[in-house]
Amino acid sequence: MWTPVGRGRWHGRALTVWATSAAHRGRLEPRLTPSRGAAAKSRTADRLYSSADRKEKIDMSRFSVENIRNFSIIAHVDHGKSTLADRLLELTGTIDKTKNNKQVLDKLQVERERGITVKAQTASLFYNCEGKQYLLNLIDTPGHVDFSYEVSRSLSACQGVLLVVDANEGIQAQTVANFFLAFEAQLSVIPVINKIDLKNADPARVEKQIEKVFDIPSDECIKISAKLGTNVERVLQAVIERIPPPKVHRKNPLKALVFDSTFDQYRGVIANVALFDGVVSKGDKIISAHTKKTYEVNEVGVLNPNEQPTHKLYAGQVGYLIAGMKDVTEAQIGDTLYLPKQPVEPLPGFKSAKPMVFAGMYPIDQSEYNNLKSAVEKLTINDSSVTVHRDSSLALGAGWRLGFLGLLHMEVFNQRLEQEYNASVILTTPTVPYKAVLSSAKLIKEYREKEITIINPAQFPDKSKVTEYLEPVILGTIITPDEYTGKVMMLCQARRAVQKNMMYIDQNRVMLKYLFPLNEIVVDFYDSLKSLSSGYASFDYEDAGYQTADLVKMDILLNGNLVEELVTIVHKDKAHTVGKAICERLKDSLPRQLFEIAIQAAIGSKIIARETVKAYRKNVLAKCYGGDITRKMKLLKRQAEGKKKLRKIGNIEVPKDAFIKVLRTQPDK
Amino acid sequence: MALPGTRARGWAAAAKIAQRRRHAEGARGSSSRAPPSSRAALYVHWPYCEKRCSYCNFNKYVPCGVDEAAMRSCLVTEAQTLLRLSGVRRVESVFFGGGTPSLASPSTVAAVLEAVDQAAHLPADSEVTLEANPTSPSGARLAAFGAAGVNRLSIGLQSLDDTELQLLGRTHSARDALQTLAEARRLFPGRVSVDLMLGLPAQQVGPWLGQLRMLLGRCDDHLSLYQLTLERGTALFTQVQRGTLPAPDPELAAEMYQEGRAVLREAGFRQYEVSNFARNGALSTHNWTYWQCGQYLGIGPGAHGRFVPQGAGGHTREARIQTLEPDNWMKEVMLFGHGTRRRVPLGQLELLEEVLAMGLRTDVGITHQHWQQFEPQLSLWDVFGASQEVKALLAQGLLLLDHRGLRCSWEGLAVLDSLLLTLLPRLQEAWQQRTPSPVQGG
């Protein structure tokens, strides 16, 4: 059964809308709830919840701090996070058990391929246990490293996590990354081994893996089948027993963390908040620590999982508030809200979105520019983490330089443009933000800082004016069956990666940790890894700062003339390989002309690669009799027309196609 | 089978005598004083072949049986109709192409020629060419074509290598080809042309030059060199596509072409067009008409023509094409007297574009006088003299613009299509910027 959900719903910076945007893809998956932060129109859809009367507001004051548990579910893709969430909601009566809670999960292909978990919904569960009424807040986390900042903010509102592992597949790279995020946040981790009903399930093996990798005794694992509901009740008990209540105080001044935000076209921004201290109620004035703007609270409530207004929210509780914010950038994830007369120290860890991958985006046809512009604007209104700068290329025309949180983020953005706005774009090979530590006093004065970030190769300062260059690095985790270890290691070495760790997580599975320069994985690393391991190896990574790098600026020359759009920043060790590849691609796509063309890659005055396109020696149609002159003339005129549109570099005519072939993201090697 | 009438036999006999005369002045000297609009060349398409060649995508059919009488009658009818429509008074050349026109009966050829001579004037010294495959005509049959009025043969020899001939799907051997060539020269001395292909899959420069040299020892005064073009829909195209045959190497083909041109020049041949070489002034009048944008009529299935339908009161030159498929074409000819499928009036600019693209294929290029016949207002200097891009081509030595006119250099001729990509837009630009011709007072 398909339920129309979330259409026209605006969402903040995470994955949910992406998941709900393309119902036609039609994958049936269990799903928690269709309409957290729903726009008015999605409310008219069939409700699957025993929705409470909105007028009858819940009194939240009866849930004292010691009866509150805030937790999150984290898992590798397809390990059963959403199904478990469904069962928890049913068990606590949040959603109706008699109905079929398998909902349509409209995943984008890219999410499937890249192994991201679709985030569950935030929901407040009311659970009665041994005569006590508990408030269990299940807090949403997006499931991909690109959004690790959001994950960390969400986790900062939790005291514990359920780490779900598939009893058949065992620990995967993403399980490891998720675990360490929770571990670093000092959260209680409850390992849950799911899918024990499967024929090939081997929960004992997975228990051992968990013990070995995470150092959690195997008797702490809860073995369940979320699908069948087996042992799910035990999970709820463990949440109450093993996760501590939040350490907060109602008496203190209000201190609320914004951990997510969505945009509703009728009501404006809906901010999801966790109260660390104090109380908030309708009519309160609040201030954003980040923007210092003051707002008046129009509505507060809990998510169960639809928005349900309450009189107030109290310390330790999780819910939403609507306060006349008009733009998602006004409710940035990680921001702290407080009362005007009682300023508080903002919660630590707030960061503005920091793009890590940049790519040029151009319409395939310049006449499409305005359509594309409006599509990009519509997408970014919901996703403040995409940075947009107008850019123009002599070859590709007007476009933008977009910054993304990561590769997946970029691919999803591009895919949404294509699928939802039917926009065809040229996306150039992604680049990463390099840095330079300046030594030239003049430049430091010009930039007003010693360390600058270089996004556009044209800004690359000369080596003589620089103490050192830096490149972003990431710590990658790879889990692979051991038969592929050799190949995986060779691949990593070829990507300039340094091995940090290697361990067997069971008899035949190896976990490898490598420090990678980010630019080495932004193009095709994941595809190469999947293909050499027949799809079995999994990969995840976390930000690991910057490291010194021997970077050089590489020019591409055509008969000695610089091709501005092909200037590239590259590591010295890779300059030859990259230069050669660009020269070869150009050679294959540059049409012959009436003279020879030398294609050269150069670093400074030193040529490091060269290809030659020979001059035409013969280009004339053999037969041209009375026959079909018309056809011949048409062909010539069409070619002549096309020639007018070519970009001239020196006296060389370069078709747009040649640039596209060189600049565009290469799908596969 | 109807025999050609006495008048036709009379024409054929006169032509027989005339064919011994050499066109020493070359093709250009053969024009008469009659106004251009009353003169034309005539192309006759014979659409049938014995077998499909692996490289050919022309409009041709391999039939079970040909109703030759019907075909003949239709060709005659269409020739009469189009000659009347065009108002042409003098046909200066006839070319029987195909298909394989040497499979037609000499009497059919004679009937068409007779009809042409009746409807317009076909001077006795007009060039009448027949395309012949080395297999189809025996010596006696060639002689019969001669008696029917044919005075020039174009032999589709293609290669002197039996493996290559097989690859091309030809039915003849190298030996057959040389025999036919010898026979043809005996019957039509000084009036025989041969075609040789280059750039075949796996063909190498050395052996190909060997073929050319061997051919030079046996051939007459006219030779055509064609680079194989792989046409979609041919067997050869499919084989290359599937990888069962190597794709022809354009570099090697270019080398064969350059070396071949040099060898022919040394042997005293004038390269008077991109693919055509002649010595002793044996240029083909018929093809020259195409390159000079003269008028021509095309009859037979799929034939193309370009003429002003003056006889029907027209003043604009038209591009015409006849119905492709032979049976349909015949039905139309029987119903309407002709099988013209499409008529497209050519604008002045389009005509000039053709003058440019066709004229530059010849060694003399476009003379100022020639250009003036088509465009009296805007000279070649006006159009091309000031263009920086054209100057670059002149400086590169690919193109010449001087007191004689505009033409390709020896090197430029081989890359004409590239040159045209600069010249055609320049012409269009000049045409748009031209000052309107002065209007007489008022």
Side-chain angles (χ1 to χ4, degrees):
Chain A
M1 193 192 86
W2 286 32
T3 313
V5 293
R7 290 252 166 229
R9 182 161 59 114
W10 300 102
H11 189 269
R13 32 199 299 187
L15 288 170
T16 326
V17 167
W18 308 347
T20 53
S21 55
H24 61 275
R25 302 185 70 85
R27 239 188 74 95
L28 283 169
E29 274 272 309
R31 174 150 196 243
L32 184 63
T33 146
S35 62
R36 183 195 56 151
K41 56 179 152 179
S42 71
R43 280 170 197 290
T44 59
D46 341 352
R47 302 302 284 272
L48 296 166
Y49 321 107
S50 49
S51 60
D53 181 3
R54 291 185 52 146
K55 305 262 157 53
E56 209 175 279
K57 290 184 179 175
I58 305 169
D59 176 12
M60 295 303 288
S61 65
R62 61 196 169 97
F63 297 101
S64 64
V65 172
E66 62 270 19
N67 292 341
I68 295 176
R69 302 289 182 272
N70 294 326
F71 71 104
S72 163
I73 308 176
I74 52 183
H76 194 76
V77 66
D78 266 354
H79 282 198
K81 171 170 160 172
S82 306
T83 316
L84 175 58
D86 267 354
R87 290 300 93 78
L88 295 181
L89 264 71
E90 286 171 7
L91 265 178
T92 54
T94 313
I95 57 175
D96 202 332
K97 212 183 270 187
T98 57
K99 294 219 178 119
N100 183 359
N101 287 318
K102 281 199 168 187
Q103 288 159 15
V104 180
L105 189 61
D106 327 306
K107 280 189 181 179
L108 285 172
Q109 191 185 346
V110 63
E111 299 179 80
R112 311 277 324 150
E113 288 169 358
R114 294 292 162 158
I116 48 174
T117 307
V118 164
K119 76 184 191 180
Q121 311 297 327
T122 291
S124 295
L125 320 177
F126 304 101
Y127 185 59
N128 219 318
C129 184
E130 291 164 6
K132 274 192 219 164
Q133 180 78 358
Y134 287 92
L135 173 65
L136 310 181
N137 294 309
L138 170 52
I139 296 170
D140 180 355
T141 64
H144 190 268
V145 62
D146 283 1
F147 310 100
S148 58
Y149 171 66
E150 284 85 339
V151 176
S152 76
R153 292 307 85 202
S154 290
L155 292 183
S156 71
C158 295
Q159 285 73 45
V161 295
L162 300 175
L163 180 68
V164 178
V165 186
D166 184 308
N168 177 18
E169 286 188 9
I171 290 178
Q172 297 295 315
Q174 208 186 330
T175 321
V176 179
N178 281 325
F179 170 81
F180 283 107
L181 280 175
F183 185 77
E184 280 159 17
Q186 297 181 309
L187 307 185
S188 310
V189 176
I190 303 172
V192 175
I193 300 174
N194 189 21
K195 306 195 191 181
I196 55 167
D197 57 305
L198 288 186
K199 216 192 221 170
N200 295 323
D202 189 354
R205 188 185 64 133
V206 179
E207 271 179 348
K208 279 186 203 138
Q209 287 180 354
I210 288 172
E211 189 160 7
K212 179 145 194 194
V213 180
F214 304 138
D215 203 18
I216 298 175
S218 51
D219 59 3
E220 286 187 21
C221 294
I222 306 173
K223 288 171 257 183
I224 68 160
S225 164
K227 193 175 140 199
L228 304 179
T230 320
N231 281 342
V232 176
E233 191 93 38
R234 276 192 53 202
V235 174
L236 279 178
Q237 283 155 11
V239 167
I240 289 167
E241 286 160 18
R242 297 196 214 164
I243 297 175
K247 290 194 186 101
V248 296
H249 304 283
R250 264 187 208 182
K251 299 270 182 286
N252 287 356
L254 173 70
K255 186 193 264 189
L257 169 75
V258 177
F259 64 87
D260 200 356
S261 62
T262 57
F263 183 80
D264 180 301
Q265 50 182 323
Y266 301 107
R267 300 192 292 169
V269 174
I270 300 170
N272 287 7
V273 293
L275 267 65
F276 278 64
D277 279 318
V279 182
V280 67
S281 55
K282 187 178 168 179
D284 283 352
K285 289 262 173 24
I286 51 164
I287 293 181
S288 147
H290 176 56
T291 65
K292 306 288 184 235
K293 282 192 193 167
T294 306
Y295 303 92
E296 186 178 323
V297 178
N298 303 323
E299 186 177 327
V300 290
V302 291
L303 297 153
N304 83 332
N306 301 312
E307 291 129 33
Q308 188 171 4
T310 60
H311 298 288
K312 295 181 178 188
L313 280 178
Y314 297 88
Q317 295 177 356
V318 170
Y320 72 95
L321 63 82
I322 298 171
M325 296 170 176
K326 295 195 170 53
D327 185 322
V328 281
T329 55
E330 293 180 75
Q332 287 208 31
I333 294 177
D335 199 358
T336 304
L337 304 176
Y338 57 86
L339 301 174
K341 283 173 190 159
Q342 293 170 294
V344 297
E345 186 73 9
L347 290 155
F350 173 80
K351 287 185 277 186
S352 282
K354 185 182 74 177
M356 286 310 285
V357 174
F358 291 86
M361 182 177 271
Y362 300 87
I364 283 180
D365 193 313
Q366 277 296 314
S367 65
E368 288 288 308
Y369 179 84
N370 283 326
N371 290 341
L372 185 59
K373 185 171 172 237
S374 108
V376 168
E377 278 167 2
K378 278 182 192 153
L379 278 179
T380 47
I381 199 175
N382 307 301
D383 189 351
S384 61
S385 57
V386 179
T387 62
V388 181
H389 295 285
R390 276 232 302 278
D391 200 359
S392 77
S393 149
L394 290 168
L396 305 177
W400 301 269
R401 188 147 198 93
L402 303 180
F404 302 98
L405 296 172
L407 267 191
L408 171 93
H409 190 206
M410 177 177 97
E411 285 182 38
V412 170
F413 190 87
N414 187 30
Q415 204 162 352
R416 287 192 67 191
L417 270 181
E418 285 183 3
Q419 289 176 354
E420 294 169 36
Y421 297 93
N422 200 20
S424 271
V425 300
I426 300 162
L427 202 60
T428 65
T429 308
T431 57
V432 301
Y434 292 108
K435 286 182 177 178
V437 180
L438 301 173
S439 60
S440 142
K442 194 176 155 228
L443 276 185
I444 294 171
K445 205 175 159 195
E446 198 183 311
Y447 284 101
R448 289 195 211 120
E449 53 189 347
K450 204 168 157 47
E451 192 176 287
I452 58 164
T453 301
I454 309 150
I455 291 162
N456 189 330
Q459 308 162 329
F460 193 76
D462 190 73
K463 199 167 179 173
S464 62
K465 292 166 181 159
V466 157
T467 318
E468 60 176 354
Y469 298 110
L470 304 168
E471 64 177 338
V473 286
I474 54 101
L475 184 64
T477 301
I478 298 164
I479 292 183
T480 176
D482 59 359
E483 60 198 286
Y484 304 113
T485 312
K487 282 188 193 168
V488 171
M489 288 169 73
M490 269 162 62
L491 173 69
C492 294
Q493 264 163 28
R495 302 304 176 109
R496 299 195 286 126
V498 179
Q499 199 183 86
K500 291 288 172 192
N501 192 8
M502 174 173 168
M503 74 179 280
Y504 274 81
I505 63 169
D506 62 23
Q507 274 104 339
N508 42 31
R509 269 167 199 278
V510 179
M511 179 168 80
L512 298 152
K513 294 224 173 207
Y514 275 91
L515 193 67
F516 284 91
L518 178 61
N519 87 313
E520 293 288 341
I521 62 159
V522 293
V523 180
D524 57 354
F525 176 79
Y526 189 79
D527 294 331
S528 305
L529 179 70
K530 280 286 172 192
S531 100
L532 71 78
S533 66
S534 312
Y536 285 113
S538 62
F539 174 68
D540 206 339
Y541 64 89
E542 59 191 281
D543 189 4
Y546 275 77
Q547 72 179 14
T548 305
D550 204 349
L551 301 175
V552 289
K553 184 167 89 167
M554 185 169 67
D555 294 331
I556 300 295
L557 310 171
L558 293 183
N559 283 358
N561 301 294
L562 177 69
V563 189
E564 286 166 52
E565 39 275 89
L566 298 182
V567 175
T568 313
I569 298 172
V570 63
H571 191 271
K572 206 174 168 193
D573 295 350
K574 285 294 180 88
H576 177 69
T577 322
V578 174
K580 192 161 175 283
I582 294 178
C583 289
E584 281 170 0
R585 269 190 240 153
L586 265 180
K587 187 193 176 181
D588 291 343
S589 48
L590 272 182
R592 286 191 175 204
Q593 322 220 341
L594 289 168
F595 41 82
E596 190 173 282
I597 308 169
I599 306 167
Q600 294 167 314
I603 293 168
S605 57
K606 193 180 159 210
I607 305 297
I608 55 163
R610 178 190 166 123
E611 293 287 335
T612 305
V613 177
K614 285 193 191 159
Y616 257 133
R617 291 183 65 198
K618 182 174 192 293
N619 180 31
V620 60
L621 191 73
K623 282 207 185 196
C624 208
Y625 290 154
D628 207 347
I629 294 179
T630 311
R631 199 175 127 197
K632 166 76 176 163
M633 293 305 298
K634 266 189 188 157
L635 187 72
L636 279 171
K637 285 199 253 181
R638 201 167 57 227
Q639 287 176 347
E641 202 53 44
K643 191 180 142 98
K644 286 185 194 162
K645 293 182 189 152
L646 301 182
R647 164 138 153 70
K648 272 201 146 192
I649 291 169
N651 56 346
I652 302 159
E653 286 155 345
V654 185
K656 191 171 166 181
D657 247 22
F659 284 107
I660 294 174
K661 277 181 190 148
V662 176
L663 290 172
R664 166 171 259 171
T665 308
Q666 304 289 309
D668 273 308
K669 278 241 162 132
Chain B
M1 191 186 280
L3 279 170
T6 41
R7 206 191 126 100
R9 258 180 284 155
W11 179 84
K16 187 88 181 160
I17 300 158
Q19 80 176 35
R20 300 192 199 287
R21 248 180 47 209
R22 281 273 157 77
H23 286 221
E25 301 163 277
R28 280 168 303 132
S30 67
S31 60
S32 72
R33 259 165 249 111
S37 60
S38 70
R39 290 180 273 140
L42 175 74
Y43 175 78
V44 184
H45 193 77
W46 182 262
Y48 303 114
C49 287
E50 263 179 337
K51 185 175 178 284
R52 209 170 277 273
C53 294
S54 62
Y55 59 92
C56 175
N57 75 335
F58 280 22
N59 184 37
K60 42 96 200 356
Y61 302 84
V62 182
C64 307
V66 176
D67 183 352
E68 188 165 346
M71 192 70 196
R72 178 194 306 132
S73 139
C74 286
L75 285 171
V76 165
T77 305
E78 193 170 52
Q80 288 164 340
T81 311
L82 293 191
L83 281 167
R84 197 179 63 242
L85 269 175
S86 67
V88 162
R89 311 283 273 283
R90 187 184 166 91
V91 173
E92 301 194 311
S93 65
V94 181
F95 195 101
F96 289 90
T100 313
S102 54
L103 290 176
S105 306
S107 59
T108 296
V109 171
V112 171
L113 293 173
E114 179 200 346
V116 173
D117 192 37
Q118 275 175 8
H121 175 49
L122 182 64
D125 60 353
S126 295
E127 178 186 279
V128 180
T129 309
L130 176 83
E131 274 184 351
N133 270 2
T135 31
S136 47
S138 64
R141 205 172 151 77
L142 286 182
F145 281 119
V150 170
N151 56 24
R152 186 172 178 273
L153 284 181
S154 169
I155 299 176
L157 175 140
Q158 315 307 5
S159 168
L160 287 178
D161 179 310
D162 284 344
T163 318
E164 287 176 4
L165 287 168
Q166 260 181 343
L167 179 80
L168 294 170
R170 303 292 289 184
T171 50
H172 68 270
S173 65
R175 218 178 109 95
D176 295 338
L178 291 174
Q179 252 175 11
T180 305
L181 175 57
E183 195 76 5
R185 288 187 68 186
R186 192 176 58 76
L187 290 163
F188 303 88
R191 312 271 299 173
V192 178
S193 174
V194 287
D195 292 352
L196 184 68
M197 289 181 99
L198 58 87
L200 306 186
Q203 195 174 49
Q204 296 301 314
V205 180
W208 180 81
L209 279 172
Q211 288 187 38
L212 179 63
R213 289 212 173 83
M214 184 183 200
L215 193 56
L216 271 179
R218 309 286 191 97
C219 73
D220 204 350
D221 289 343
H222 194 281
L223 200 140
S224 303
L225 293 186
Y226 296 123
Q227 180 176 345
L228 171 73
T229 20
L230 279 183
E231 302 282 359
R232 199 168 278 280
T234 62
L236 219 52
F237 180 89
T238 314
Q239 281 174 286
V240 169
Q241 215 54 0
R242 285 193 191 137
T244 48
L245 269 181
D249 181 343
E251 273 300 294
L252 290 183
E255 203 176 327
M256 288 176 210
Y257 182 68
Q258 298 294 20
E259 300 264 333
R261 296 167 79 190
V263 165
L264 285 165
R265 182 157 69 174
E266 245 163 72
F269 280 83
R270 165 181 163 196
Q271 181 177 13
Y272 69 101
E273 193 261 354
V274 169
S275 303
N276 287 283
F277 302 80
R279 62 183 168 197
N280 303 321
L283 287 72
S284 161
T285 316
H286 186 81
N287 290 338
W288 194 262
T289 303
Y290 293 145
W291 300 319
Q292 295 293 304
C293 287
Q295 289 204 106
Y296 53 95
L297 278 56
I299 64 166
H304 290 253
R306 265 171 174 59
F307 61 88
V308 182
Q310 267 190 331
H315 298 288
T316 311
R317 186 173 160 113
E318 289 178 359
R320 287 174 165 246
I321 180 166
Q322 311 307 105
T323 293
L324 275 174
E325 203 274 319
D327 290 345
N328 294 340
W329 170 80
M330 276 198 262
K331 275 181 209 152
E332 287 169 36
V333 174
M334 285 191 262
L335 279 170
F336 314 114
H338 65 87
T340 303
R341 178 50 63 101
R342 246 165 83 82
R343 294 167 49 189
V344 182
L346 290 174
Q348 178 64 8
L349 175 61
E350 277 177 288
L351 180 56
L352 290 179
E353 286 167 349
E354 289 192 6
V355 170
L356 183 69
M358 292 295 118
L360 285 179
R361 294 182 65 87
T362 63
D363 61 344
V364 295
I366 303 153
T367 63
H368 292 295
Q369 298 97 300
H370 177 59
W371 181 260
Q372 247 192 329
Q373 281 176 26
F374 294 94
E375 176 49 52
Q377 309 290 338
L378 207 58
S379 74
L380 286 171
W381 290 111
D382 294 337
V383 178
F384 300 110
S387 157
Q388 286 307 317
E389 282 183 295
V390 174
K391 279 182 185 164
L393 297 176
L394 298 173
Q396 251 185 291
L398 296 169
L399 201 64
L400 293 108
L401 176 60
D402 58 17
H403 65 282
R404 279 159 61 191
L406 180 72
R407 64 193 176 280
C408 292
S409 69
W410 167 264
E411 292 76 23
L413 199 60
V415 291
L416 172 60
D417 286 2
S418 294
L419 304 183
L420 286 171
L421 296 187
T422 297
L423 300 176
L424 284 169
R426 181 59 217 132
L427 171 59
Q428 289 160 3
E429 207 181 340
W431 179 257
Q432 273 143 23
Q433 290 165 356
R434 76 195 188 283
T435 42
S437 47
V439 185
Q440 294 275 310

